[in-house]
PDB file of all heavy atoms in Angstrom:
ATOM      1  N   ARG A   1      -1.893  -3.053   0.985  1.00  0.00           N
ATOM      2  CA  ARG A   1      -2.462  -2.007   0.132  1.00  0.00           C
ATOM      3  C   ARG A   1      -2.543  -0.680   0.862  1.00  0.00           C
ATOM      4  O   ARG A   1      -2.674   0.361   0.234  1.00  0.00           O
ATOM      5  CB  ARG A   1      -3.849  -2.435  -0.331  1.00  0.00           C
ATOM      6  CG  ARG A   1      -3.793  -3.569  -1.364  1.00  0.00           C
ATOM      7  CD  ARG A   1      -5.134  -3.952  -1.936  1.00  0.00           C
ATOM      8  NE  ARG A   1      -5.029  -5.015  -2.925  1.00  0.00           N
ATOM      9  CZ  ARG A   1      -5.505  -6.259  -2.768  1.00  0.00           C
ATOM     10  NH1 ARG A   1      -6.174  -6.566  -1.635  1.00  0.00           N
ATOM     11  NH2 ARG A   1      -5.362  -7.107  -3.700  1.00  0.00           N
ATOM     12  N   GLN A   2      -2.460  -0.691   2.192  1.00  0.00           N
ATOM     13  CA  GLN A   2      -2.532   0.521   2.978  1.00  0.00           C
ATOM     14  C   GLN A   2      -1.138   1.153   3.214  1.00  0.00           C
ATOM     15  O   GLN A   2      -1.053   2.269   3.743  1.00  0.00           O
ATOM     16  CB  GLN A   2      -3.169   0.234   4.336  1.00  0.00           C
ATOM     17  CG  GLN A   2      -4.646  -0.175   4.237  1.00  0.00           C
ATOM     18  CD  GLN A   2      -5.217  -0.612   5.566  1.00  0.00           C
ATOM     19  OE1 GLN A   2      -4.491  -0.891   6.505  1.00  0.00           O
ATOM     20  NE2 GLN A   2      -6.532  -0.746   5.602  1.00  0.00           N
ATOM     21  N   LEU A   3      -0.082   0.453   2.821  1.00  0.00           N
ATOM     22  CA  LEU A   3       1.262   0.940   3.067  1.00  0.00           C
ATOM     23  C   LEU A   3       1.662   2.014   2.059  1.00  0.00           C
ATOM     24  O   LEU A   3       1.305   1.931   0.871  1.00  0.00           O
ATOM     25  CB  LEU A   3       2.285  -0.206   3.028  1.00  0.00           C
ATOM     26  CG  LEU A   3       2.066  -1.335   4.062  1.00  0.00           C
ATOM     27  CD1 LEU A   3       3.137  -2.394   3.880  1.00  0.00           C
ATOM     28  CD2 LEU A   3       2.095  -0.803   5.476  1.00  0.00           C
ATOM     29  N   ASP A   4       2.420   2.999   2.501  1.00  0.00           N
ATOM     30  CA  ASP A   4       2.928   4.014   1.608  1.00  0.00           C
ATOM     31  C   ASP A   4       3.863   3.378   0.565  1.00  0.00           C
ATOM     32  O   ASP A   4       4.686   2.511   0.890  1.00  0.00           O
ATOM     33  CB  ASP A   4       3.707   5.103   2.363  1.00  0.00           C
ATOM     34  CG  ASP A   4       2.816   5.951   3.230  1.00  0.00           C
ATOM     35  OD1 ASP A   4       1.593   6.017   2.952  1.00  0.00           O
ATOM     36  OD2 ASP A   4       3.335   6.551   4.176  1.00  0.00           O
ATOM     37  N   GLY A   5       3.738   3.813  -0.644  1.00  0.00           N
ATOM     38  CA  GLY A   5       4.625   3.309  -1.705  1.00  0.00           C
ATOM     39  C   GLY A   5       4.146   2.053  -2.405  1.00  0.00           C
ATOM     40  O   GLY A   5       4.763   1.605  -3.363  1.00  0.00           O
ATOM     41  N   VAL A   6       3.071   1.430  -1.912  1.00  0.00           N
ATOM     42  CA  VAL A   6       2.563   0.224  -2.583  1.00  0.00           C
ATOM     43  C   VAL A   6       1.454   0.644  -3.545  1.00  0.00           C
ATOM     44  O   VAL A   6       0.428   1.200  -3.167  1.00  0.00           O
ATOM     45  CB  VAL A   6       1.985  -0.762  -1.509  1.00  0.00           C
ATOM     46  CG1 VAL A   6       1.301  -1.931  -2.207  1.00  0.00           C
ATOM     47  CG2 VAL A   6       3.101  -1.243  -0.604  1.00  0.00           C
ATOM     48  N   GLN A   7       1.717   0.383  -4.832  1.00  0.00           N
ATOM     49  CA  GLN A   7       0.725   0.739  -5.855  1.00  0.00           C
ATOM     50  C   GLN A   7      -0.244  -0.418  -6.197  1.00  0.00           C
ATOM     51  O   GLN A   7      -1.385  -0.167  -6.527  1.00  0.00           O
ATOM     52  CB  GLN A   7       1.454   1.153  -7.168  1.00  0.00           C
ATOM     53  CG  GLN A   7       2.067   2.521  -7.114  1.00  0.00           C
ATOM     54  CD  GLN A   7       3.408   2.504  -6.452  1.00  0.00           C
ATOM     55  OE1 GLN A   7       4.227   1.584  -6.622  1.00  0.00           O
ATOM     56  NE2 GLN A   7       3.695   3.521  -5.608  1.00  0.00           N
ATOM     57  N   GLU A   8       0.261  -1.645  -6.117  1.00  0.00           N
ATOM     58  CA  GLU A   8      -0.565  -2.782  -6.518  1.00  0.00           C
ATOM     59  C   GLU A   8      -0.169  -4.017  -5.728  1.00  0.00           C
ATOM     60  O   GLU A   8       1.001  -4.213  -5.428  1.00  0.00           O
ATOM     61  CB  GLU A   8      -0.368  -3.043  -8.028  1.00  0.00           C
ATOM     62  CG  GLU A   8      -1.253  -4.113  -8.613  1.00  0.00           C
ATOM     63  CD  GLU A   8      -2.713  -3.690  -8.663  1.00  0.00           C
ATOM     64  OE1 GLU A   8      -3.066  -2.771  -9.379  1.00  0.00           O
ATOM     65  OE2 GLU A   8      -3.511  -4.299  -7.920  1.00  0.00           O
ATOM     66  N   VAL A   9      -1.161  -4.802  -5.377  1.00  0.00           N
ATOM     67  CA  VAL A   9      -0.935  -6.096  -4.719  1.00  0.00           C
ATOM     68  C   VAL A   9      -1.751  -7.150  -5.465  1.00  0.00           C
ATOM     69  O   VAL A   9      -2.962  -7.144  -5.450  1.00  0.00           O
ATOM     70  CB  VAL A   9      -1.323  -6.091  -3.252  1.00  0.00           C
ATOM     71  CG1 VAL A   9      -1.079  -7.459  -2.604  1.00  0.00           C
ATOM     72  CG2 VAL A   9      -0.574  -5.011  -2.468  1.00  0.00           C
ATOM     73  N   TRP A  10      -1.036  -8.050  -6.160  1.00  0.00           N
ATOM     74  CA  TRP A  10      -1.729  -9.171  -6.767  1.00  0.00           C
ATOM     75  C   TRP A  10      -1.651 -10.374  -5.837  1.00  0.00           C
ATOM     76  O   TRP A  10      -0.707 -10.478  -5.053  1.00  0.00           O
ATOM     77  CB  TRP A  10      -1.071  -9.544  -8.112  1.00  0.00           C
ATOM     78  CG  TRP A  10      -1.254  -8.482  -9.171  1.00  0.00           C
ATOM     79  CD1 TRP A  10      -2.418  -8.163  -9.819  1.00  0.00           C
ATOM     80  CD2 TRP A  10      -0.273  -7.607  -9.690  1.00  0.00           C
ATOM     81  NE1 TRP A  10      -2.196  -7.132 -10.711  1.00  0.00           N
ATOM     82  CE2 TRP A  10      -0.893  -6.791 -10.652  1.00  0.00           C
ATOM     83  CE3 TRP A  10       1.086  -7.437  -9.429  1.00  0.00           C
ATOM     84  CZ2 TRP A  10      -0.207  -5.781 -11.349  1.00  0.00           C
ATOM     85  CZ3 TRP A  10       1.789  -6.453 -10.137  1.00  0.00           C
ATOM     86  CH2 TRP A  10       1.144  -5.653 -11.078  1.00  0.00           C
ATOM     87  N   VAL A  11      -2.631 -11.230  -5.895  1.00  0.00           N
ATOM     88  CA  VAL A  11      -2.652 -12.401  -5.004  1.00  0.00           C
ATOM     89  C   VAL A  11      -2.805 -13.691  -5.794  1.00  0.00           C
ATOM     90  O   VAL A  11      -3.442 -13.730  -6.875  1.00  0.00           O
ATOM     91  CB  VAL A  11      -3.786 -12.290  -3.977  1.00  0.00           C
ATOM     92  CG1 VAL A  11      -3.558 -11.101  -3.050  1.00  0.00           C
ATOM     93  CG2 VAL A  11      -5.150 -12.217  -4.616  1.00  0.00           C
ATOM     94  N   ALA A  12      -2.230 -14.765  -5.281  1.00  0.00           N
ATOM     95  CA  ALA A  12      -2.348 -16.084  -5.890  1.00  0.00           C
ATOM     96  C   ALA A  12      -2.465 -17.088  -4.757  1.00  0.00           C
ATOM     97  O   ALA A  12      -1.894 -16.908  -3.680  1.00  0.00           O
ATOM     98  CB  ALA A  12      -1.160 -16.388  -6.788  1.00  0.00           C
ATOM     99  N   GLU A  13      -3.188 -18.205  -4.996  1.00  0.00           N
ATOM    100  CA  GLU A  13      -3.443 -19.185  -3.956  1.00  0.00           C
ATOM    101  C   GLU A  13      -2.454 -20.339  -3.961  1.00  0.00           C
ATOM    102  O   GLU A  13      -2.436 -21.139  -3.037  1.00  0.00           O
ATOM    103  CB  GLU A  13      -4.874 -19.700  -4.056  1.00  0.00           C
ATOM    104  CG  GLU A  13      -5.926 -18.642  -3.813  1.00  0.00           C
ATOM    105  CD  GLU A  13      -7.323 -19.209  -3.921  1.00  0.00           C
ATOM    106  OE1 GLU A  13      -7.494 -20.412  -4.235  1.00  0.00           O
ATOM    107  OE2 GLU A  13      -8.260 -18.456  -3.605  1.00  0.00           O
ATOM    108  N   ASP A  14      -1.613 -20.439  -5.022  1.00  0.00           N
ATOM    109  CA  ASP A  14      -0.645 -21.495  -5.066  1.00  0.00           C
ATOM    110  C   ASP A  14       0.530 -21.067  -5.934  1.00  0.00           C
ATOM    111  O   ASP A  14       0.450 -20.033  -6.627  1.00  0.00           O
ATOM    112  CB  ASP A  14      -1.250 -22.820  -5.569  1.00  0.00           C
ATOM    113  CG  ASP A  14      -1.895 -22.686  -6.942  1.00  0.00           C
ATOM    114  OD1 ASP A  14      -1.282 -22.096  -7.853  1.00  0.00           O
ATOM    115  OD2 ASP A  14      -3.033 -23.147  -7.104  1.00  0.00           O
ATOM    116  N   GLY A  15       1.611 -21.878  -5.917  1.00  0.00           N
ATOM    117  CA  GLY A  15       2.793 -21.539  -6.662  1.00  0.00           C
ATOM    118  C   GLY A  15       2.607 -21.475  -8.169  1.00  0.00           C
ATOM    119  O   GLY A  15       3.161 -20.619  -8.837  1.00  0.00           O
ATOM    120  N   GLU A  16       1.840 -22.406  -8.708  1.00  0.00           N
ATOM    121  CA  GLU A  16       1.636 -22.455 -10.143  1.00  0.00           C
ATOM    122  C   GLU A  16       0.958 -21.160 -10.636  1.00  0.00           C
ATOM    123  O   GLU A  16       1.397 -20.558 -11.602  1.00  0.00           O
ATOM    124  CB  GLU A  16       0.759 -23.658 -10.523  1.00  0.00           C
ATOM    125  CG  GLU A  16       1.455 -25.001 -10.378  1.00  0.00           C
ATOM    126  CD  GLU A  16       1.300 -25.590  -8.946  1.00  0.00           C
ATOM    127  OE1 GLU A  16       0.891 -24.845  -8.036  1.00  0.00           O
ATOM    128  OE2 GLU A  16       1.580 -26.778  -8.785  1.00  0.00           O
ATOM    129  N   LEU A  17      -0.093 -20.730  -9.936  1.00  0.00           N
ATOM    130  CA  LEU A  17      -0.786 -19.478 -10.333  1.00  0.00           C
ATOM    131  C   LEU A  17       0.126 -18.308 -10.096  1.00  0.00           C
ATOM    132  O   LEU A  17       0.181 -17.353 -10.923  1.00  0.00           O
ATOM    133  CB  LEU A  17      -2.075 -19.320  -9.535  1.00  0.00           C
ATOM    134  CG  LEU A  17      -2.878 -18.054  -9.809  1.00  0.00           C
ATOM    135  CD1 LEU A  17      -3.233 -17.954 -11.285  1.00  0.00           C
ATOM    136  CD2 LEU A  17      -4.146 -18.032  -8.960  1.00  0.00           C
ATOM    137  N   GLY A  18       0.918 -18.353  -9.049  1.00  0.00           N
ATOM    138  CA  GLY A  18       1.875 -17.272  -8.794  1.00  0.00           C
ATOM    139  C   GLY A  18       2.871 -17.079  -9.923  1.00  0.00           C
ATOM    140  O   GLY A  18       3.165 -15.981 -10.354  1.00  0.00           O
ATOM    141  N   LEU A  19       3.402 -18.203 -10.414  1.00  0.00           N
ATOM    142  CA  LEU A  19       4.360 -18.146 -11.535  1.00  0.00           C
ATOM    143  C   LEU A  19       3.690 -17.634 -12.804  1.00  0.00           C
ATOM    144  O   LEU A  19       4.339 -16.909 -13.561  1.00  0.00           O
ATOM    145  CB  LEU A  19       4.974 -19.538 -11.738  1.00  0.00           C
ATOM    146  CG  LEU A  19       5.863 -20.070 -10.610  1.00  0.00           C
ATOM    147  CD1 LEU A  19       6.225 -21.522 -10.882  1.00  0.00           C
ATOM    148  CD2 LEU A  19       7.100 -19.239 -10.431  1.00  0.00           C
ATOM    149  N   GLU A  20       2.447 -18.000 -13.010  1.00  0.00           N
ATOM    150  CA  GLU A  20       1.719 -17.481 -14.176  1.00  0.00           C
ATOM    151  C   GLU A  20       1.548 -15.975 -14.083  1.00  0.00           C
ATOM    152  O   GLU A  20       1.725 -15.247 -15.101  1.00  0.00           O
ATOM    153  CB  GLU A  20       0.335 -18.157 -14.294  1.00  0.00           C
ATOM    154  CG  GLU A  20       0.391 -19.620 -14.671  1.00  0.00           C
ATOM    155  CD  GLU A  20      -1.007 -20.214 -14.727  1.00  0.00           C
ATOM    156  OE1 GLU A  20      -1.987 -19.457 -14.671  1.00  0.00           O
ATOM    157  OE2 GLU A  20      -1.114 -21.478 -14.850  1.00  0.00           O
ATOM    158  N   LEU A  21       1.229 -15.482 -12.894  1.00  0.00           N
ATOM    159  CA  LEU A  21       1.095 -14.017 -12.714  1.00  0.00           C
ATOM    160  C   LEU A  21       2.422 -13.340 -12.912  1.00  0.00           C
ATOM    161  O   LEU A  21       2.483 -12.213 -13.494  1.00  0.00           O
ATOM    162  CB  LEU A  21       0.533 -13.735 -11.312  1.00  0.00           C
ATOM    163  CG  LEU A  21      -0.967 -13.993 -11.087  1.00  0.00           C
ATOM    164  CD1 LEU A  21      -1.339 -13.807  -9.633  1.00  0.00           C
ATOM    165  CD2 LEU A  21      -1.792 -13.091 -11.992  1.00  0.00           C
ATOM    166  N   LEU A  22       3.501 -13.909 -12.438  1.00  0.00           N
ATOM    167  CA  LEU A  22       4.802 -13.294 -12.621  1.00  0.00           C
ATOM    168  C   LEU A  22       5.158 -13.130 -14.099  1.00  0.00           C
ATOM    169  O   LEU A  22       5.849 -12.171 -14.481  1.00  0.00           O
ATOM    170  CB  LEU A  22       5.898 -14.163 -11.942  1.00  0.00           C
ATOM    171  CG  LEU A  22       6.108 -13.972 -10.443  1.00  0.00           C
ATOM    172  CD1 LEU A  22       7.200 -14.878  -9.978  1.00  0.00           C
ATOM    173  CD2 LEU A  22       6.389 -12.524 -10.090  1.00  0.00           C
ATOM    174  N   ALA A  23       4.699 -14.093 -14.897  1.00  0.00           N
ATOM    175  CA  ALA A  23       4.994 -14.008 -16.339  1.00  0.00           C
ATOM    176  C   ALA A  23       4.229 -12.925 -17.047  1.00  0.00           C
ATOM    177  O   ALA A  23       4.610 -12.519 -18.162  1.00  0.00           O
ATOM    178  CB  ALA A  23       4.693 -15.387 -16.972  1.00  0.00           C
ATOM    179  N   SER A  24       3.153 -12.446 -16.437  1.00  0.00           N
ATOM    180  CA  SER A  24       2.310 -11.467 -17.117  1.00  0.00           C
ATOM    181  C   SER A  24       2.167 -10.137 -16.367  1.00  0.00           C
ATOM    182  O   SER A  24       1.487  -9.232 -16.851  1.00  0.00           O
ATOM    183  CB  SER A  24       0.883 -12.041 -17.301  1.00  0.00           C
ATOM    184  OG  SER A  24       0.301 -12.367 -16.047  1.00  0.00           O
ATOM    185  N   ARG A  25       2.869 -10.000 -15.233  1.00  0.00           N
ATOM    186  CA  ARG A  25       2.789  -8.762 -14.457  1.00  0.00           C
ATOM    187  C   ARG A  25       4.177  -8.225 -14.207  1.00  0.00           C
ATOM    188  O   ARG A  25       5.147  -8.943 -14.166  1.00  0.00           O
ATOM    189  CB  ARG A  25       2.072  -9.002 -13.100  1.00  0.00           C
ATOM    190  CG  ARG A  25       0.708  -9.581 -13.179  1.00  0.00           C
ATOM    191  CD  ARG A  25      -0.342  -8.561 -13.670  1.00  0.00           C
ATOM    192  NE  ARG A  25      -1.687  -9.063 -13.481  1.00  0.00           N
ATOM    193  CZ  ARG A  25      -2.332  -9.841 -14.308  1.00  0.00           C
ATOM    194  NH1 ARG A  25      -1.730 -10.292 -15.394  1.00  0.00           N
ATOM    195  NH2 ARG A  25      -3.598 -10.216 -14.083  1.00  0.00           N
ATOM    196  N   SER A  26       4.262  -6.921 -13.960  1.00  0.00           N
ATOM    197  CA  SER A  26       5.539  -6.296 -13.613  1.00  0.00           C
ATOM    198  C   SER A  26       5.601  -6.198 -12.097  1.00  0.00           C
ATOM    199  O   SER A  26       5.055  -5.274 -11.477  1.00  0.00           O
ATOM    200  CB  SER A  26       5.618  -4.893 -14.256  1.00  0.00           C
ATOM    201  OG  SER A  26       6.828  -4.277 -13.889  1.00  0.00           O
ATOM    202  N   VAL A  27       6.258  -7.203 -11.480  1.00  0.00           N
ATOM    203  CA  VAL A  27       6.288  -7.334 -10.027  1.00  0.00           C
ATOM    204  C   VAL A  27       7.667  -6.881  -9.502  1.00  0.00           C
ATOM    205  O   VAL A  27       8.685  -7.174 -10.121  1.00  0.00           O
ATOM    206  CB  VAL A  27       6.020  -8.794  -9.612  1.00  0.00           C
ATOM    207  CG1 VAL A  27       6.184  -8.972  -8.109  1.00  0.00           C
ATOM    208  CG2 VAL A  27       4.617  -9.213 -10.077  1.00  0.00           C
ATOM    209  N   ASP A  28       7.663  -6.200  -8.356  1.00  0.00           N
ATOM    210  CA  ASP A  28       8.939  -5.736  -7.738  1.00  0.00           C
ATOM    211  C   ASP A  28       9.364  -6.673  -6.642  1.00  0.00           C
ATOM    212  O   ASP A  28      10.604  -6.734  -6.376  1.00  0.00           O
ATOM    213  CB  ASP A  28       8.720  -4.326  -7.154  1.00  0.00           C
ATOM    214  CG  ASP A  28       8.386  -3.272  -8.218  1.00  0.00           C
ATOM    215  OD1 ASP A  28       9.096  -3.214  -9.216  1.00  0.00           O
ATOM    216  OD2 ASP A  28       7.383  -2.600  -8.054  1.00  0.00           O
ATOM    217  N   LEU A  29       8.440  -7.370  -5.988  1.00  0.00           N
ATOM    218  CA  LEU A  29       8.814  -8.204  -4.842  1.00  0.00           C
ATOM    219  C   LEU A  29       7.692  -9.252  -4.626  1.00  0.00           C
ATOM    220  O   LEU A  29       6.521  -8.932  -4.829  1.00  0.00           O
ATOM    221  CB  LEU A  29       8.995  -7.369  -3.596  1.00  0.00           C
ATOM    222  CG  LEU A  29       9.565  -8.021  -2.317  1.00  0.00           C
ATOM    223  CD1 LEU A  29      10.407  -7.026  -1.534  1.00  0.00           C
ATOM    224  CD2 LEU A  29       8.422  -8.524  -1.424  1.00  0.00           C
ATOM    225  N   VAL A  30       8.101 -10.429  -4.206  1.00  0.00           N
ATOM    226  CA  VAL A  30       7.148 -11.536  -3.970  1.00  0.00           C
ATOM    227  C   VAL A  30       7.139 -11.886  -2.484  1.00  0.00           C
ATOM    228  O   VAL A  30       8.164 -12.078  -1.848  1.00  0.00           O
ATOM    229  CB  VAL A  30       7.550 -12.790  -4.770  1.00  0.00           C
ATOM    230  CG1 VAL A  30       6.584 -13.936  -4.471  1.00  0.00           C
ATOM    231  CG2 VAL A  30       7.578 -12.483  -6.260  1.00  0.00           C
ATOM    232  N   LEU A  31       5.911 -11.929  -1.913  1.00  0.00           N
ATOM    233  CA  LEU A  31       5.704 -12.445  -0.547  1.00  0.00           C
ATOM    234  C   LEU A  31       5.150 -13.850  -0.705  1.00  0.00           C
ATOM    235  O   LEU A  31       4.093 -14.022  -1.353  1.00  0.00           O
ATOM    236  CB  LEU A  31       4.755 -11.556   0.241  1.00  0.00           C
ATOM    237  CG  LEU A  31       5.219 -10.136   0.479  1.00  0.00           C
ATOM    238  CD1 LEU A  31       4.666  -9.213  -0.588  1.00  0.00           C
ATOM    239  CD2 LEU A  31       4.778  -9.672   1.863  1.00  0.00           C
ATOM    240  N   LEU A  32       5.805 -14.827  -0.174  1.00  0.00           N
ATOM    241  CA  LEU A  32       5.524 -16.225  -0.493  1.00  0.00           C
ATOM    242  C   LEU A  32       5.339 -17.043   0.796  1.00  0.00           C
ATOM    243  O   LEU A  32       6.204 -17.130   1.614  1.00  0.00           O
ATOM    244  CB  LEU A  32       6.661 -16.783  -1.316  1.00  0.00           C
ATOM    245  CG  LEU A  32       6.665 -18.272  -1.677  1.00  0.00           C
ATOM    246  CD1 LEU A  32       5.472 -18.618  -2.559  1.00  0.00           C
ATOM    247  CD2 LEU A  32       7.967 -18.652  -2.359  1.00  0.00           C
ATOM    248  N   ASP A  33       4.171 -17.705   0.887  1.00  0.00           N
ATOM    249  CA  ASP A  33       3.897 -18.641   1.970  1.00  0.00           C
ATOM    250  C   ASP A  33       4.734 -19.912   1.749  1.00  0.00           C
ATOM    251  O   ASP A  33       4.825 -20.415   0.624  1.00  0.00           O
ATOM    252  CB  ASP A  33       2.418 -18.990   1.989  1.00  0.00           C
ATOM    253  CG  ASP A  33       2.062 -19.976   3.092  1.00  0.00           C
ATOM    254  OD1 ASP A  33       2.760 -20.027   4.121  1.00  0.00           O
ATOM    255  OD2 ASP A  33       1.063 -20.694   2.911  1.00  0.00           O
ATOM    256  N   LEU A  34       5.328 -20.401   2.831  1.00  0.00           N
ATOM    257  CA  LEU A  34       6.186 -21.579   2.708  1.00  0.00           C
ATOM    258  C   LEU A  34       5.378 -22.871   2.461  1.00  0.00           C
ATOM    259  O   LEU A  34       5.768 -23.702   1.612  1.00  0.00           O
ATOM    260  CB  LEU A  34       6.987 -21.766   3.985  1.00  0.00           C
ATOM    261  CG  LEU A  34       7.980 -22.920   4.029  1.00  0.00           C
ATOM    262  CD1 LEU A  34       9.037 -22.800   2.953  1.00  0.00           C
ATOM    263  CD2 LEU A  34       8.642 -23.028   5.400  1.00  0.00           C
ATOM    264  N   MET A  35       4.265 -23.024   3.150  1.00  0.00           N
ATOM    265  CA  MET A  35       3.483 -24.285   3.101  1.00  0.00           C
ATOM    266  C   MET A  35       2.326 -24.142   2.129  1.00  0.00           C
ATOM    267  O   MET A  35       1.182 -23.927   2.508  1.00  0.00           O
ATOM    268  CB  MET A  35       2.987 -24.627   4.483  1.00  0.00           C
ATOM    269  CG  MET A  35       4.109 -24.693   5.547  1.00  0.00           C
ATOM    270  SD  MET A  35       5.469 -25.801   5.125  1.00  0.00           S
ATOM    271  CE  MET A  35       4.671 -27.395   5.380  1.00  0.00           C
ATOM    272  N   LEU A  36       2.648 -24.247   0.816  1.00  0.00           N
ATOM    273  CA  LEU A  36       1.643 -24.140  -0.206  1.00  0.00           C
ATOM    274  C   LEU A  36       1.241 -25.497  -0.736  1.00  0.00           C
ATOM    275  O   LEU A  36       2.032 -26.425  -0.727  1.00  0.00           O
ATOM    276  CB  LEU A  36       2.174 -23.324  -1.381  1.00  0.00           C
ATOM    277  CG  LEU A  36       2.379 -21.804  -1.163  1.00  0.00           C
ATOM    278  CD1 LEU A  36       3.056 -21.225  -2.416  1.00  0.00           C
ATOM    279  CD2 LEU A  36       1.035 -21.121  -0.985  1.00  0.00           C
TER     280      LEU A  36
END
């Protein structure tokens, strides 16, 4: 959130919630933990 050019950061605790957020948000890039 402190980086230039970043307007919004949504967070999710698991893949299922992440996929739900993707379906309802306009996301440009996903940062994804491998061991979820």
Side-chain angles (χ1 to χ4, degrees):
R1 292 184 177 112
Q2 295 172 346
L3 300 180
D4 291 339
V6 174
Q7 285 81 41
E8 186 68 66
V9 179
W10 292 289
V11 296
E13 295 181 356
D14 56 49
E16 290 88 345
L17 179 57
L19 293 172
E20 290 179 10
L21 285 174
L22 278 181
S24 61
R25 304 287 192 276
S26 179
V27 175
D28 298 308
L29 188 147
V30 178
L31 297 95
L32 175 64
D33 179 27
L34 181 62
M35 307 304 288
L36 288 173

